[in-house]
Amino acid sequence: MSDSSSRTRISIGETAWGLVVFAIMVALALGLYVLAQFGQKLAAQQTFLLHRVYEDAVGHAVVVR
């Protein structure tokens, strides 16, 4: 659906479904981005803790490459 078709639908009082779907997809993409950022922070903390537990178990510092 072209841009002019969307404007025409809005001007005659019909719903421009393409715009509605686009808005929903943008909201979903932003939501997924926020969740991914939160997940990365959580994973970084857990990885650091796991590394410390491993170093304690082997009894010396381990270099991560």
Side-chain angles (χ1 to χ4, degrees), residues 18-48:
L19 295 176
V20 173
V21 171
F22 177 74
I24 291 170
M25 291 300 174
V26 168
L28 285 173
L30 288 173
L32 284 174
Y33 175 78
V34 169
L35 285 174
Q37 294 302 311
F38 176 73
Q40 283 182 346
K41 282 189 176 192
L42 185 61
Q45 292 171 352
Q46 290 175 345
T47 302
F48 179 73

